[in-house]
Structure formats: C-alpha cells, structure tokens
Amino acid sequence: MDRKSIIKIIALMVTAFGIGIDFTGALMLVPAIESSFDADITSTQWVLNIYALFFAMTMVAGGRLGDMYGHRRMMIIGLSIFLFASILCFVSPGLDYLIGARALQGIGAGCVWPCTLAFGATKVAKEEHRALVMGLILAGVTTGNVFGPMISGAVVNLGDWRLFFLANVVFSCVSMATAILLMERETEHKKGEHIDFAGMGILSLAVLLLLYGLDVGADWGWTSLPLILLFFVSAVLFFLFPRVEKRVKEPLLLPQLMQNREFLITLGLNMFNVSAAFVGLLYFPQYMQKVLGWSVFQSALGLAPLTVLLAVGSIVSGTLYNDFGPKRLLFWGYVCSTLGAASVVVMPASAGYLQILPGMALIGLGATLTVGPSGTAAVCAVKPERAGLVGGLSFMTHLVYGAISVACATAVMYVSSLQSLKTGLAAADIDMSDTDQKAINGGTLTTESAKAVMQKLSSDEIEKVKSAITAAFDTGMNMAFVFATFSVAVGIILALMLDEKKLHKIEE
C-alpha cells in the first residue's frame, strides 16, 4: 500500500474516532447534565436516544446521497452539520436545546459514517486491501468508544461538561481539513437513485412517538387517555410502514427481503444484541457515580471492561466468524449477554463495583460474539448487489432498537426506583410529598430541585434519605436489567432458529 493511501486511511480513522467518542462520551455526562439543567433520567436519556435515532434514520439516506452526489462531498456536508451541532451543544441554554442539537449531530454523523466507509472501500483501498481498510476504519470508531468516556471524565473534572463538545469541534475541523485536502473529487456518480423519504419519515415518527410515550408515561399516568392515544398513533404508523414500503420505488425494506426467513432472523439478531450493551452504557456509569461515589473519570476507567471488549470485538469478529460460523458465535454470544445482564440483577448490592463487573465483562464478550457476526450473517442472507442496502439496514435496526431498549428500561427503572424510594422513606418514618420524592428519585442530589428538598430535612433525616435513594437506584437499575435480560434472551431463540445452510444460499 502506497504512502498516499496510508495517509488517507489515517484521515478516515480520525473521522471515525470522532464519531466514536461522541457516542460513548456523551453517556458519561448524564449526571452532570441532570445537575446543570435540573432534570431527571427520563429526560436526560434523550441525550443518547435522539442521537441514536437520527443517526440511524439518516444513515441510509446519507449513503444513497453519497452515491448520487459524491462521498467526499457528503462527508464534508455531514461534518459541517456535525461541527455546527457540536457548537450548539456547547452553548445549550437548556435541556430541550441540547436534545435538539444532539438530533442535529445524529443527522451529521448519519451522513458522514456511510460515506466514510464507502470512500475507504472504493477510493482508497484496492481489492486485496479492502478488508484491512474496513477493519482499520472500524478500529478508529471503536477506539473512540473507549476513549470517549475518558475525555468526558477529564472535562468534567475541569469543571464543565460542555467542554466535551469542544472535542467534537476539534475532530470535526481536522476531519474536514483532511477531506478537503486529501480526498480527491469524484467525477462519476450513480444515476437514477431514489431515497425512501416516506418510509424513513413514517418509521422515525413511529419510533419517536413511542420513545416520547415511554418518557412521559410516569408523569401522565400509564392508563391516561393522552398516553394511550400516543401509543395508538405510534402503533398505526408502525402498521402503515410496510404498506407504504410496497408502494415506493426503492424502499428501505424490499418485499423480497420480508419473505426471506433467514434474513428476518438475522435482522432480529442485529436488534436484540444491543439491548444489554446500551442499557449498560447508560446505567453502569451512573451506578459508579451515584451509588459508589466515583468521579466521572474514575467511572470512565471502571467502564473499561465493557468498552475495551466492544472495541476488541470489532477487530476479531471477522476471524471468529470464518473459524466458527455464525450460529455458534451468535448462540454463545447471546448466552453471555443474557448471563451478564442477569448477573447485575442477582449480585448483592453490598458487593459494590463487583456487582456490575461480571455483567460488564459478559455483556462485552457477548457483544464481541454477536454484533459483527449478526451484520455479516444478514449480508450473507441476500444477493451480493443488496449487500450495501442490507448492511445499512442492519445497523439502522441495531441503533433504533437500542434507543427503544433504553427508553423501555428507563421507564421500568424510574417506576421501580420511585416505588422503592416510597417504601424506604416510609420505613425510615420520613413524610415527603410525591413531588419531592420525584425530585430526588434517580440519585442526583445536585439539581436545584433536589437541593431544595434536602434543605427541608434534618441532618439525621438526610442520611436516611440518602440511604433510601441509593437503595432505590439499585432497585431501579436491577429492574432495568431484568428487562434487558429478557430482551437479549430472545436472541438465544433466534440463534437456534438460524439455518446456516440456507443462510449461504443466495435468495432468489
């Protein structure tokens, strides 16, 4: 490989690294954001969910636009959007503003990521080097996943979580400069490409309404008429989506794919493997900060058993796939993830960090055995000319279900922890209004609302309330992982249903 190609690969790896740090790094900021904007976990979860949703829904369109107008051009446009959104995150005056900026970041990343992969595969790598180049780009993003939490910890220790988004600005500027200076303009583009905006719009709105309903359910009441109507509209949109797909010229879901049993199984295997990992990435850092009292940087280091395994998995999964085949890898990977999620529930709270350490290791190992192989298996289930579409669709499904899992787990966590808090306060003979209980539920006592509640209490009552809050958070987190356990366990069944012989027979 010549020097010019190596420099381009390094530039693409830097771009991938910037996307990687943004995803995991932002999760470490949740407690700090709660304090800054006087919010609870049901609201701050959107910092992850809205980014994942818009990233996922933009990615297919971003890839298609790159084919139509040039991958270099779309990379630069996407990086410009990402850069602008990062500045908006930095100056956010409120949580709603930050969530909107994160959505815009997701759109930018959704344009950049598929074009980064496509440019590396078609304009940098020769045929014999393509697998190596793809592996290096993926190594860039997974390395970013490892270092993202550490960057978050460092900036919070400096006193302001907003500084994290300045790191995004730096990497975006570097990536834009390298794209402009090092990447040659493309002169030939695909003609006659169409983008399924109708399908993307309907699916995005259906998921968004579902996530919003899970967010406000505890406040509105799970049996309230407005919430039931919200879920009904979401269900109608999910019902309409495949029917709309039958009418558009180039749908996200081709009718032939929906009739392919092995493809549907592999698509499911792409979905359920993310549940435990996403829930873990959200709640493990909070547990270390809110229950164990660790700093953000300490919790970033404590998260390493999960993030490092996720990074290593992306590098070694290809070799494992060739050596063992998808069925065995996916089955044992899902078994590991299920046991990991379950271990968080059954390990005693008195174990401290050891309560979550086995879970992190097993979930990380499970992700190593499932994330890459499930995507490869999906591509193997279709004709070669549909590989690009299916690859994007698999990753989109992966992120969308991850967002839904986080929303479901958070709804379960909030209700469970609030009930546990009520019980704990009653046992301590402390009378507190429902409004005050909601203000301190979730374990962040540095918000203005929580401080106002704690100021009403005597020193003896404060210690009792802190104990009740800690126990409540642990109970809520355990219930979130009960949901994750059942969700991931579905993958064990799907892995057993997968027929490897049919998988490698190209669908007609």
Side-chain angles (χ1 to χ4, degrees):
M1 194 179 298
D2 60 83
R3 181 180 177 183
K4 189 176 180 180
S5 296
I6 292 173
I7 293 173
K8 289 180 181 178
I9 292 168
I10 293 172
L12 293 173
M13 289 178 68
V14 170
T15 300
F17 182 85
I19 292 175
I21 66 167
D22 186 72
F23 189 80
T24 54
L27 294 175
M28 303 298 296
L29 303 175
V30 167
I33 293 171
E34 288 176 0
S35 299
S36 183
F37 295 134
D38 196 15
D40 60 30
I41 183 59
T42 61
S43 299
T44 53
Q45 66 165 322
W46 285 95
V47 173
L48 165 65
N49 276 354
I50 202 72
Y51 177 83
L53 177 60
F54 277 80
F55 188 170
M57 300 312 301
T58 307
M59 191 170 54
V60 175
R64 288 277 179 90
L65 288 169
D67 293 339
M68 294 165 63
Y69 302 107
H71 299 116
R72 174 184 180 272
R73 179 181 297 176
M74 284 308 301
M75 279 177 62
I76 294 171
I77 291 173
L79 286 167
S80 300
I81 295 171
F82 192 83
L83 170 63
F84 178 66
S86 297
I87 295 172
L88 293 181
C89 289
F90 178 71
V91 300
S92 295
L95 184 59
D96 292 342
Y97 193 98
L98 176 62
I99 291 170
R102 286 286 288 167
L104 194 59
Q105 273 192 316
I107 292 173
C111 293
V112 172
W113 180 238
C115 293
T116 300
L117 291 173
F119 197 95
T122 61
K123 303 300 179 184
V124 177
K126 295 180 181 179
E127 186 72 31
E128 63 269 23
H129 296 141
R130 187 166 295 170
L132 172 62
V133 171
M134 291 297 97
L136 289 172
I137 293 173
L138 288 173
V141 75
T142 53
T143 303
N145 290 158
V146 174
F147 281 94
M150 298 180 188
I151 294 173
S152 295
V155 300
V156 171
N157 283 350
L158 290 174
D160 192 350
W161 58 267
R162 297 171 188 273
L163 294 174
F164 171 78
F165 293 103
L166 285 186
N168 286 338
V169 171
V170 172
F171 283 110
S172 297
C173 289
V174 172
S175 297
M176 286 180 65
T178 56
I180 292 170
L181 296 174
L182 300 178
M183 310 300 176
E184 65 270 15
R185 295 177 184 271
E186 297 145 296
T187 55
E188 295 183 3
H189 310 304
K190 285 187 178 181
K191 305 294 183 182
E193 290 282 311
H194 294 83
I195 300 174
D196 182 15
F197 286 115
M200 286 191 298
I202 289 174
L203 184 59
S204 298
L205 185 57
V207 175
L208 197 60
L209 291 176
L210 174 60
L211 297 181
Y212 184 69
L214 292 168
D215 176 14
V216 300
D219 295 325
W220 289 8
W222 293 104
T223 57
S224 65
L225 181 59
L227 187 65
I228 292 172
L229 288 174
L230 193 67
F231 284 141
F232 176 75
V233 173
S234 175
V236 169
L237 291 171
F238 276 118
F239 177 78
L240 289 175
F241 173 67
R243 284 152 182 79
V244 171
E245 292 296 273
K246 292 179 180 179
R247 298 177 178 272
V248 298
K249 189 170 183 179
E250 293 187 24
L252 290 175
L253 286 177
L254 296 170
Q256 301 96 310
L257 296 182
M258 298 307 294
Q259 298 168 8
N260 182 336
R261 177 183 179 273
E262 302 312 311
F263 169 74
L264 293 177
I265 290 174
T266 58
L267 200 62
L269 288 165
N270 271 278
M271 286 173 50
F272 294 104
N273 60 16
V274 75
S275 186
F278 268 46
V279 173
L281 286 169
L282 180 63
Y283 283 107
F284 288 147
Q286 291 191 67
Y287 174 82
M288 287 183 269
Q289 293 174 54
K290 295 177 178 179
V291 176
L292 302 182
W294 292 11
S295 69
V296 179
F297 189 74
Q298 287 173 322
S299 59
L301 295 177
L303 193 63
L306 176 58
T307 55
V308 170
L309 278 169
L310 289 173
V312 171
S314 67
I315 299 171
V316 304
S317 61
T319 303
L320 294 173
Y321 187 95
N322 293 331
D323 290 343
F324 298 101
K327 190 178 182 77
R328 278 190 289 177
L329 284 181
L330 291 166
F331 173 77
W332 288 111
Y334 269 105
V335 168
C336 287
S337 292
T338 303
L339 292 175
S343 73
V344 177
V345 180
V346 300
M347 287 290 286
S350 59
Y353 181 64
L354 293 178
Q355 180 186 357
I356 61 173
L357 180 58
M360 282 194 289
L362 285 168
I363 290 170
L365 178 60
T368 294
L369 298 176
T370 58
V371 174
S374 61
T376 304
V379 171
C380 289
V382 300
K383 294 179 180 179
E385 59 266 28
R386 291 178 182 156
L389 171 65
V390 169
L393 186 61
S394 298
F395 195 62
M396 182 188 78
T397 306
H398 184 83
L399 287 177
V400 169
Y401 187 72
I404 292 173
S405 292
V406 166
C408 291
T410 299
V412 171
M413 183 272 180
Y414 185 82
V415 172
S416 302
S417 61
L418 186 59
Q419 183 58 49
S420 175
L421 181 61
K422 290 179 184 291
T423 303
L425 293 176
D429 199 26
I430 296 175
D431 185 25
M432 187 178 292
S433 69
D434 289 344
T435 301
D436 286 352
Q437 288 181 37
K438 289 180 179 179
I440 62 175
N441 185 37
T444 303
L445 296 179
T446 53
T447 64
E448 292 302 319
S449 298
K451 287 179 181 177
V453 173
M454 300 302 282
Q455 286 174 357
K456 302 176 185 178
L457 305 173
S458 67
S459 57
D460 182 54
E461 288 176 328
I462 288 175
E463 293 306 313
K464 292 179 179 179
V465 168
K466 285 182 177 180
S467 297
I469 290 172
T470 299
F473 183 90
D474 188 71
T475 298
M477 184 182 73
N478 286 346
M479 292 307 297
F481 275 98
V482 168
F483 165 81
T485 300
F486 282 104
S487 179
V488 177
V490 175
I492 298 176
I493 300 171
L494 291 177
L496 291 172
M497 293 171 60
L498 185 65
D499 189 332
E500 280 186 315
K501 293 180 180 178
K502 290 183 179 179
L503 179 65
H504 292 282
K505 290 182 179 178
I506 303 300
E507 51 95 9
E508 301 297 333

